[in-house]
Amino acid sequence: MNKALEGVRILDFSHLLQGPFATQLLGDMGADVIKIERAGAGDMFRGMTFFAKWVGGSESPNFLAWNRNKRSIALNLKSRKVHAIIMDMAKKADVVVQNFRPGVLARLGYGYEDFRAVNPAIIYCSGSGYGEEGPYVERPGQDMLIQGLSGLISNTGRGDQAPVPAGAGLADQIGAMNMVYGILSALYYREKTGKGQKIEVNLLAGMLAHLNQEYVAVLNLGEDFVRPNSGIGHPGMQAPFGIYEANDGGYVSIAMSPFKTLYEVLEAPQLAVYDDLKTLFDKRDEVFDKVNAETRKFATQDLLARLLAADIWCAEVKDIRRAAEDPQVKHLGMITSYDHPRGGKVRVVAPAVKMSETPATIERPAPLVGQHGREILAEFGLSSDEIAALEASGDMTVDAA
């Protein structure tokens, strides 16, 4: 089977979410991702979980989610012997990815200039919270903090309650996509010119770019978004854009449609008095409550059937467990699994991009700490005695289950 990125070798120093998701996406497309972790403990995400539970009793779902299709080597980056080995590896690598705080890896001798000195064609992608310089450079660049600083959180939730962050690591995941975007662009440029380059991605810039329509509206129309007290789904939208209740405990999202069509479907002609764009905005909380009172007269599936038959933009609101069983999700084949040596059969979300000639595949589960260290170093020419000496000194650790 052809792989789009076959032959691309990545030295991946990243940890937590942003960098690992980016390199996983590249690994899904066939890149050889060598995950360089801390000797002993490995990636910090290995020690984090949800619900205070562990997959298979020991494995982090957070780590398992973002680290498939990689090989792990666990090294002491402060060791000069290790530094020499990694610089030799860099001569045969295409891309370096890291998302340590600015300056941390450079102080250890793993900055862009260090790699470029041994491989001028190297592509070095650096992820951070706020960029490489500036007044916030020493601050922790965590996802929820970026959501708040960028303006996303202030736009989310009900106006009479505190603003609400997204229920996923949105800033990190957007940052990962920007890393992939930059790396693929740089690989294409190098293919034409032979030149490598440094790529800088930061979470704040990424969130700002993805809030572009909100920024354009506020900065050009002279208005600020004000969260409605009702369930209107965006602070810039008029009713009925929002989430509505059914009488069986379910919820349905209703997006754009002619308001006349909606109130006719709901058999609520009294709502005709609101059928004007300005009224639907100025009185959107009132309209929401009126519409919600009507949707509560129907069971979820009945409500959906009525709305869909009238070509109203709508969908059922599902939790993750029910969404995984959704017929369209099943049709797309988006829930799959891999076998992990400790976690057992791990259910995961499949690669989202479908390609006719070079399909993405899951060929490796998320690795154990340093699991592939011996084979990786052997590929780069170290002898079995040299590898054994690294292990004996503690400069490399191997967890091979």
Side-chain angles (χ1 to χ4, degrees):
M1 187 180 295
N2 294 326
K3 298 177 183 177
L5 296 180
E6 189 168 3
V8 174
R9 178 174 278 159
I10 299 172
L11 301 184
D12 178 13
F13 292 85
S14 68
H15 56 282
L16 298 175
L17 200 165
Q18 178 194 22
F21 183 27
T23 53
Q24 174 171 287
L25 290 170
L26 298 170
D28 288 350
M29 291 299 178
D32 178 19
V33 180
I34 298 174
K35 184 175 179 69
I36 301 173
E37 303 189 64
R38 295 177 298 168
D43 187 330
M44 284 188 285
F45 238 17
R46 291 184 182 273
M48 300 182 187
T49 189
F50 293 133
F51 317 123
K53 294 181 178 179
W54 304 88
V55 178
S58 62
E59 303 305 302
S60 162
N62 311 58
F63 183 84
L64 296 176
W66 310 118
N67 287 282
R68 65 178 179 237
N69 286 334
K70 304 177 186 181
R71 297 187 291 166
S72 171
I73 183 169
L75 299 168
N76 173 17
L77 296 183
K78 296 180 180 179
S79 163
R80 301 320 297 167
K81 184 182 293 183
V82 167
H83 182 272
I85 290 170
I86 289 178
M87 287 299 140
D88 279 340
M89 293 170 68
K91 295 173 184 177
K92 301 176 183 178
D94 299 287
V95 181
V96 171
V97 177
Q98 66 95 1
N99 63 333
F100 283 79
R101 284 199 192 185
V104 170
L105 275 192
R107 287 193 290 271
L108 294 174
Y110 301 105
Y112 172 55
E113 296 300 333
D114 300 299
F115 283 101
R116 188 169 71 159
V118 299
N119 182 352
I122 201 79
I123 294 165
Y124 187 97
C125 184
S126 176
S128 64
Y130 305 99
E132 305 279 316
E133 299 175 336
Y136 292 175
V137 70
E138 295 298 328
R139 290 191 182 187
Q142 191 271 342
D143 186 281
M144 187 173 66
L145 310 183
I146 303 297
Q147 287 188 37
L149 186 62
S150 65
L152 176 66
I153 289 180
S154 72
N155 272 7
T156 310
R158 296 174 184 261
D160 56 357
Q161 299 174 18
V164 179
L170 191 61
D172 276 325
Q173 292 170 46
I174 287 172
M177 295 294 184
N178 284 338
M179 280 183 149
V180 171
Y181 163 54
I183 289 167
L184 294 180
S185 298
L187 284 169
Y188 182 68
Y189 177 75
R190 193 183 67 179
E191 189 71 19
K192 295 188 295 181
T193 67
K195 296 179 180 178
Q197 60 184 298
K198 182 181 181 183
I199 303 163
E200 294 182 13
V201 172
N202 72 77
L203 302 183
L204 179 58
M207 280 303 303
L208 294 174
H210 283 72
L211 290 167
N212 196 27
Q213 73 172 359
E214 285 74 23
Y215 272 77
V216 169
V218 169
L219 298 181
N220 292 279
L221 300 179
E223 296 281 346
D224 292 319
F225 289 116
V226 177
R227 297 192 314 281
N229 293 338
S230 59
I232 301 300
H234 188 286
M237 293 294 289
Q238 68 277 1
F241 193 88
I243 310 299
Y244 293 88
E245 297 175 66
N247 65 15
D248 56 2
Y251 292 87
V252 172
S253 56
I254 299 176
M256 293 170 286
S257 65
F259 190 62
K260 183 175 186 292
T261 304
L262 177 63
Y263 66 70
E264 287 178 347
V265 166
L266 295 177
E267 302 175 5
Q270 70 276 14
L271 297 181
V273 297
Y274 298 106
D275 195 3
D276 170 79
L277 184 64
K278 190 172 188 303
T279 302
L280 288 172
F281 186 85
D282 291 345
K283 296 186 176 182
R284 58 186 176 171
D285 285 347
E286 182 178 330
V287 175
F288 175 88
D289 291 337
K290 298 281 189 182
V291 171
N292 201 45
E294 298 301 321
T295 62
R296 283 199 296 253
K297 297 175 180 178
F298 302 93
T300 304
Q301 296 307 315
D302 183 20
L303 178 60
L304 276 172
R306 287 169 171 263
L307 297 174
L308 289 170
D311 200 27
I312 292 173
W313 292 19
C314 66
E316 184 178 357
V317 176
K318 297 186 175 185
D319 62 21
I320 287 174
R321 193 180 301 279
R322 291 184 60 233
E325 299 301 319
D326 182 272
Q328 185 64 29
V329 173
K330 286 187 171 183
H331 174 78
L332 293 171
M334 286 308 299
I335 304 299
T336 186
S337 64
Y338 62 64
D339 293 319
H340 188 272
R342 293 211 177 105
K345 186 171 289 294
V346 180
R347 298 184 73 198
V348 298
V349 178
V353 177
K354 309 299 182 185
M355 300 177 70
S356 63
E357 299 300 318
T358 56
T361 59
I362 300 176
E363 299 189 354
R364 295 179 182 271
L368 304 176
V369 182
Q371 178 180 350
H372 307 95
R374 296 176 188 132
E375 71 179 56
I376 290 169
L377 293 185
E379 290 174 9
F380 283 94
L382 274 72
S383 69
S384 57
D385 288 343
E386 289 174 311
I387 294 170
L390 276 174
E391 288 190 71
S393 68
D395 283 339
M396 180 175 79
T397 59
V398 176
D399 185 347

